Amino acid sequence: MAPTILIVGATGNTGRSVTETLPKLLNTSNTLSGHRVIALTRSLNSPVAEQLARIPGVEVLEQNWVEVTADWLREHEVVRAFIAPHNEPHQFAEESTFHVAALNAGVRYVVRISTTAANVRPDCVAYYPRTHWAIETLLSSPEFNGLQWTSLQPNVFTPFYLSTAVEFIKQYRKTGNQDTLRLMASEDAPVGIIDPDEVGVFAAHLLSQDDPSMHNKAKYVLNGPEDITGKQIVNMVEQQIGTQVENVSYKDMFFVDSFLELGSRGAQEPKNVILSIKYAAETAWEGECSASTTSKKVLEIAAPKRTPIDVLKTLLKE
């Protein structure tokens, strides 16, 4: 068995591109070319898992990451890891357990996905950025000096930010009718939304560094290559449908209410905790999440290139 780089959340938004990119980078590495890549999934039968299993140098394992122990990490000789945790209310308990296991197993370096940098603070009204703040604070403590880590703080993901615009266009093309175009965006605030695939590419570059120590305890802010406002999203929609959008609802967080519907996972959680998600976009509305905040190292190592219109056109083909 060879030293292993573990990818937790391999079939998710960012983990997929980490898995696709990392083996190619390892092949050109002076010190890591003999390392294995293990990608974790909850189902080996999922289409994405089956696709990843065909990548040379990748072994896909069916394993729930929240049950990974220090013994499991030792058994698989994990020396580096990527983790894209969920954002449910119990995230801290489960992600911190993973990091404690990594520390005790002798894992040398972890790259993790955080959330929008402007929200990662102890007083954020939305609950999940406080969790990311707590995890970063835990990893920064002297007790974790034996584990090197980097936290990536990406802006909101482009497919999610544009999802209502995509559905509006598809519905109009199908029926010729318009409903209200509901946008999370404000009308005028510029936001550097980012394609999650490009977050994964940057993470893969960090994991493939011969010596990642220069990135230890770093918190890198990632945005797309250009800003977009709500009004610009409306303009893109109008270009795609060939007519004027009749009704627009800006700063619309209606989707959060659906998290509390019977049968959804959020329905089992405290209502006030779930509804606090509605406050997560306020920093973007206040202009704090523009592309200008991107960390210099991101631009040097793997600068994001996909623009909002690039992603919109891709989503419309699906």
Side-chain angles (χ1 to χ4, degrees):
M1 194 176 293
T4 297
I5 300 178
L6 178 69
I7 302 175
V8 171
T11 59
N13 284 325
T14 55
R16 183 178 63 254
S17 60
V18 177
T19 311
E20 293 170 344
T21 306
L22 184 57
K24 303 171 188 175
L25 297 175
L26 295 181
N27 286 337
T28 62
S29 170
N30 294 325
T31 59
L32 303 175
S33 58
H35 285 50
R36 300 186 307 156
V37 175
I38 289 181
L40 296 191
T41 180
R42 285 178 291 183
S43 173
L44 290 173
N45 298 322
S46 73
V48 177
E50 292 177 348
Q51 179 183 357
L52 296 179
R54 292 192 287 269
I55 299 174
V58 173
E59 179 182 359
V60 180
L61 295 182
E62 190 171 277
Q63 169 69 47
N64 189 339
W65 71 267
V66 302
E67 297 176 354
V68 166
T69 63
D71 286 341
W72 189 97
L73 294 169
R74 291 190 200 97
E75 177 187 348
H76 292 84
E77 297 187 33
V78 176
V79 294
R80 298 185 183 188
F82 167 84
I83 178 170
H86 60 74
N87 277 342
E88 296 176 22
H90 48 284
Q91 175 194 338
F92 181 83
E94 294 179 345
E95 188 184 350
S96 64
T97 296
F98 177 87
H99 294 305
V100 170
L103 176 68
N104 290 329
V107 175
R108 297 168 198 159
Y109 181 51
V110 171
V111 177
R112 67 176 298 274
I113 299 295
S114 181
T115 191
T116 305
N119 287 342
V120 183
R121 60 181 199 268
D123 64 340
C124 185
V125 179
Y127 77 86
Y128 66 89
R130 298 196 303 271
T131 298
H132 286 291
W133 171 85
I135 289 290
E136 292 174 355
T137 302
L138 175 143
L139 291 171
S140 299
S141 67
E143 290 82 357
F144 275 83
N145 282 343
L147 176 65
Q148 297 188 78
W149 59 276
T150 305
S151 193
L152 307 186
Q153 299 177 331
N155 209 331
V156 61
F157 292 153
T158 307
F160 179 63
Y161 206 69
L162 299 181
S163 61
T164 53
V166 171
E167 290 307 311
F168 183 94
I169 294 167
K170 289 182 176 179
Q171 185 66 21
Y172 181 83
R173 287 176 175 177
K174 182 178 179 180
T175 66
N177 297 322
Q178 292 192 27
D179 291 323
T180 298
L181 174 57
R182 298 176 179 271
L183 297 176
M184 185 193 314
S186 69
E187 184 172 4
D188 298 318
V191 182
I193 58 179
I194 185 167
D195 184 341
D197 284 348
E198 298 197 302
V199 178
V201 168
F202 179 71
H205 276 80
L206 293 182
L207 290 165
S208 65
Q209 298 280 307
D210 289 336
D211 180 8
S213 59
M214 70 175 297
H215 305 290
N216 185 31
K217 299 184 180 180
K219 303 170 188 176
Y220 291 135
V221 179
L222 295 95
N223 298 286
E226 64 183 40
D227 291 321
I228 193 166
T229 65
K231 182 59 178 175
Q232 288 172 322
I233 295 175
V234 174
N235 291 340
M236 287 198 307
V237 171
E238 290 177 341
Q239 289 172 8
Q240 294 296 320
I241 65 175
T243 190
Q244 186 175 0
V245 174
E246 296 170 358
N247 296 294
V248 183
S249 175
Y250 294 108
K251 298 184 179 180
D252 197 321
M253 303 293 284
F254 74 100
F255 63 90
V256 177
D257 294 320
S258 67
F259 297 161
L260 294 172
E261 292 177 357
L262 189 64
S264 67
R265 299 180 72 169
Q268 308 302 316
E269 307 292 348
K271 183 177 180 180
N272 63 322
V273 173
I274 299 302
L275 291 181
S276 73
I277 296 172
K278 291 187 175 184
Y279 296 95
E282 289 187 346
T283 49
W285 301 337
E286 293 165 1
E288 297 182 40
C289 303
S290 69
S292 64
T293 62
T294 303
S295 296
K296 182 178 178 181
K297 282 295 181 184
V298 175
L299 300 177
E300 292 174 350
I301 294 173
K305 299 176 181 178
R306 297 198 72 201
T307 64
I309 189 60
D310 292 335
V311 177
L312 180 75
K313 288 179 179 179
T314 298
L315 294 172
L316 289 172
K317 294 176 183 177
E318 295 178 353

